[in-house]
């Protein structure tokens, strides 16, 4: 406090003192809870000795109020930043309609951030179909939060796996609900990979215990059937059927053995077209018998690929044989091979009945098959071989139009 500015060494020399005619001055610091001095609250007078103790007390009181509101603003700004910059979506809904959504919500929904979601029905954004995963109970209050797995409906029409948690709150003086939305698509992918790994492990254990026990008697059965057929004078077709079924069992056993003892491929440079042609020659008779024409087109000057030839032929055999088996009314199988960047791409397209999207996603899973007499092991082995070659095996299908299998193998 300065009672007489004319006698103060600093105040008397300030231009503002003379310009405003300040004769006395009172200043009180604005101190925040953490001890930080935010600023000074000042009072001036054009008369000497103007300020009394009550004025000082009043200014201190006003400074305390200012400090409280400054801290409140800082806290609100902090909370606002936490919500606005949160990587998780934060939604506030009231009576099933959105009243607020943070920027992360727009990202999860693939919606432009300038779009107004106020009033949007929650049911148009989140598919409410799953049951709670687990609960989290607060220690200081009797309240339980439910974590639920749901699907978010994106602007593109796709679905995103999310986890939500709801908390009641008061929004503009009225009861509402805050919903936090977290993208768990990567977690779901990892869980699926673990699940696939466990299934592969189970298939391998089963293969190891069963395959060898089947293979030896199967060889004996095959040999005796051939002897019986050679000496038989009639019903030769019956022996052919038996031999065909024995051959099917042998193929399944071989797939089991591959799972039981996977091999690290010894790779060499091979021409993919040559390998493909060898497989087509083997399957041509089966295709012709079912009135199926196999048509091939190849891009010129195709580079060789680094692969284990027998394994790649096994993959081609599996894919083309599947195509033949699904085309019960005949038709055409189109095979095309071309170079795509640092990969050689081979596509096999059939004219079968197609595979629904929900079933297409499961192709290659152990023991999952779309065929009546299938085991699901063939595509699983094919997928495993291509992965070991650092390639890709992709499936596309349209109902009543057919299925396309794409195989990508690296050149180097």
């Amino acid at each position: 406090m300065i009672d007489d500015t004319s006698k103060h060494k600093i105040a008397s020399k300030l231009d503002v003192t003379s310009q405003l005619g300040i004769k006395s001055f009172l200043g009180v610091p604005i101190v925040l809870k953490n001890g930080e001095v935010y600023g000074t609250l000042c009072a001036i007078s054009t008369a000497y000795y103007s300020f009394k103790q009550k004025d000082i007390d009043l200014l201190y009181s006003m400074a305390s109020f200012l400090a409280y509101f400054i801290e409140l603003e800082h806290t609100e700004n902090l909370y606002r930043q936490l919500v606005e910059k949160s990587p998780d979506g934060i939604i506030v809904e009231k009576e099933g309609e959105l009243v607020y959504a943070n920027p992360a919500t727009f990202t999860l929904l693939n919606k432009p951030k300038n779009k107004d979601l106020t009033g949007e029905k929650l049911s148009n954004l989140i598919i409410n179909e799953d049951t709670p995963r687990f609960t989290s109970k607060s220690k200081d209050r009797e309240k339980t939060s439910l974590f639920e797995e749901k699907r978010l409906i994106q602007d593109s029409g796709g679905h995103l796996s999310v986890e939500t948690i709801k908390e009641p709150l008061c929004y503009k003086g009225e009861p509402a609900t805050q919903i936090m939305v977290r993208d768990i698509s990567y977690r779901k992918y990892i869980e699926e990979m673990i699940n696939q790994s466990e299934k592969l492990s189970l298939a391998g254990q089963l293969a190891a215990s069963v395959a060898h026990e089947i293979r030896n008697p199967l060889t004996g059965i095959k040999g005796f059937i051939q002897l019986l057929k050679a000496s038989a004078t009639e019903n030769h077709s019956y022996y052919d059927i038996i031999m065909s079924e024995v051959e099917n069992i042998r193929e399944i056993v071989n797939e089991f053995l591959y799972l039981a003892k996977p091999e690290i491929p010894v790779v060499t440079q091979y021409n993919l077209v040559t390998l493909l042609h060898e497989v087509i020659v083997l399957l041509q008779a089966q295709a012709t018998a079912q009135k199926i024409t196999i048509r091939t087109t190849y891009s010129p000057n195709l580079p060789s690929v680094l692969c284990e030839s027998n394994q790649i032929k096994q993959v081609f055999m599996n894919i083309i044989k599947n195509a033949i088996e699904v085309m019960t009314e005949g038709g055409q199988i189109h095979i095309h091979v071309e170079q795509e960047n640092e990969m050689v791409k081979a596509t096999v397209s059939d004219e079968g009945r197609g595979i629904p999207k929900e079933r297409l996603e499961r192709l290659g899973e152990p023991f999952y098959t779309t065929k009546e007499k299938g085991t699901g092991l063939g595509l699983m082995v094919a997928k495993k071989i291509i992965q070991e070659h650092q390639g890709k095996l992709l499936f596309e299908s349209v109902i009543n139009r057919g299925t396309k299998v794409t195989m990508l193998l690296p050149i180097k």
Side-chain angles (χ1 to χ4, degrees):
M1 183 174 68
I2 302 173
D3 289 322
D4 186 347
T5 55
S6 62
K7 296 178 180 179
H8 195 273
K9 291 182 180 180
I10 297 175
S12 60
K13 297 178 182 179
L14 295 175
D15 292 336
V16 69
T17 303
S18 57
Q19 289 171 359
L20 298 178
I22 300 172
K23 299 292 179 27
S24 55
F25 171 87
L26 177 61
V28 174
I30 301 171
V31 184
L32 305 181
K33 283 183 179 180
N34 61 2
E36 176 191 352
V37 177
Y38 184 81
T40 305
L41 181 62
C42 304
I44 57 176
S45 176
T46 55
Y48 295 115
Y49 296 92
S50 295
F51 301 108
K52 310 299 179 186
Q53 185 60 45
K54 64 177 182 178
D55 299 317
I56 297 173
D57 293 340
L58 177 61
L59 212 60
Y60 267 112
S61 178
M62 292 173 66
S64 297
F65 273 113
L66 273 174
Y68 170 77
F69 284 111
I70 290 167
E71 287 179 335
L72 184 62
E73 184 181 357
H74 283 181
T75 303
E76 287 180 348
N77 185 50
L78 175 62
Y79 286 152
R80 187 179 298 109
Q81 287 190 62
L82 286 172
V83 171
E84 295 292 322
K85 297 184 182 298
S86 170
D88 295 326
I90 298 176
I91 295 170
V92 178
E93 65 92 10
K94 188 170 65 174
E95 297 178 353
E97 293 184 355
L98 265 66
V99 293
Y100 172 79
N102 74 336
T105 304
F106 289 85
T107 302
L108 293 174
L109 290 168
N110 276 344
K111 290 182 182 290
K113 289 184 171 60
N114 58 358
K115 185 172 182 178
D116 187 10
L117 288 178
T118 305
E120 185 80 34
K121 292 286 185 183
L122 191 64
S123 57
N124 294 337
L125 302 176
I126 299 177
I127 299 175
N128 189 14
E129 60 178 15
D130 296 323
T131 54
R133 275 173 59 89
F134 57 88
T135 61
S136 173
K137 197 166 186 178
S138 175
K139 293 181 180 179
D140 60 345
R141 50 186 173 165
E142 287 298 320
K143 185 177 67 177
T144 299
S145 303
L146 295 180
F147 287 84
E148 298 178 305
E149 286 188 5
K150 299 179 183 292
R151 284 189 296 162
L152 209 63
I153 305 171
Q154 295 182 309
D155 211 32
S156 58
H159 291 164
L160 180 72
S161 294
V162 296
E163 185 178 72
T164 65
I165 179 172
K166 296 181 180 181
E167 291 284 354
L169 54 74
C170 185
Y171 184 81
K172 294 183 178 180
E174 295 182 357
T177 303
Q178 172 188 282
I179 305 173
M180 290 193 68
V181 184
R182 176 167 294 175
D183 180 2
I184 58 168
S185 54
Y186 182 71
R187 189 182 81 191
K188 297 287 283 185
Y189 169 76
I190 295 299
E191 288 175 353
E192 182 62 27
M193 290 299 100
I194 293 171
N195 186 39
Q196 290 280 21
S197 177
E198 289 174 349
K199 285 183 178 180
L200 282 171
S201 176
L202 175 63
Q205 292 173 23
L206 182 62
S209 61
V210 173
H212 287 290
E213 297 299 325
I214 296 176
R215 201 175 194 183
N216 291 334
L218 200 63
T219 304
I221 292 170
K222 187 175 181 180
F224 279 110
I225 292 296
Q226 288 172 334
L227 288 173
L228 288 171
K229 181 183 178 182
S231 60
T233 57
E234 57 184 13
N235 296 327
H236 277 243
S237 62
Y238 292 171
Y239 293 105
D240 291 336
I241 292 170
I242 295 170
M243 286 296 292
S244 175
E245 294 303 314
V246 168
E247 188 62 25
N248 286 338
I249 297 172
R250 188 189 68 80
E251 288 181 9
I252 293 171
V253 169
N254 287 340
E255 288 168 352
F256 268 126
L257 286 172
Y258 180 82
L259 291 172
K261 192 180 179 182
E263 300 174 357
I264 298 173
V266 180
V267 294
T268 314
Q269 291 288 344
Y270 279 98
N271 187 310
L272 204 62
V273 172
T274 302
L275 300 180
L276 183 58
H277 179 69
E278 291 175 11
V279 173
I280 292 173
V281 169
L282 292 173
L283 294 174
Q284 189 64 62
Q286 184 183 350
T288 303
Q290 293 188 211
K291 299 179 180 178
I292 295 171
T293 304
I294 299 177
R295 299 194 179 278
T296 56
T297 55
Y298 312 123
S299 295
N301 304 318
L302 282 171
S304 299
V305 296
L306 205 59
C307 68
E308 204 290 316
S309 60
N310 288 328
Q311 289 187 0
I312 297 303
K313 285 197 286 186
Q314 183 181 352
V315 174
F316 274 130
M317 178 77 73
N318 190 289
I319 293 170
I320 298 172
K321 192 175 180 183
N322 281 347
I324 292 171
E325 290 173 354
V326 299
M327 292 172 60
T328 55
E329 298 180 2
Q332 294 184 353
I333 294 174
H334 298 271
I335 301 174
H336 180 67
V337 184
E338 63 181 350
Q339 183 176 355
E340 187 175 277
N341 300 322
E342 295 301 310
M343 312 280 275
V344 172
K345 181 172 78 172
T347 58
V348 179
S349 305
D350 64 52
E351 296 176 350
R353 59 182 178 274
I355 304 169
K357 184 179 178 181
E358 62 273 11
R359 301 184 73 180
L360 194 68
E361 294 172 353
R362 297 191 60 188
L363 289 182
E365 288 186 13
F367 312 115
Y368 182 81
T369 179
T370 59
K371 295 189 293 186
E372 185 178 346
K373 294 184 178 180
T375 62
L377 295 176
L379 275 182
M380 181 181 68
V381 170
K383 210 169 185 180
K384 189 172 176 62
I385 288 172
I386 297 302
Q387 287 174 350
E388 288 171 353
H389 280 76
Q390 298 178 11
K392 294 179 181 179
L393 196 63
L394 309 172
F395 303 94
E396 300 173 54
S397 191
V398 179
I399 297 297
N400 297 324
R401 290 184 60 183
T403 301
K404 181 170 77 172
V405 182
T406 302
M407 184 171 78
L408 291 161
L409 286 174
I411 297 171
K412 297 180 182 180

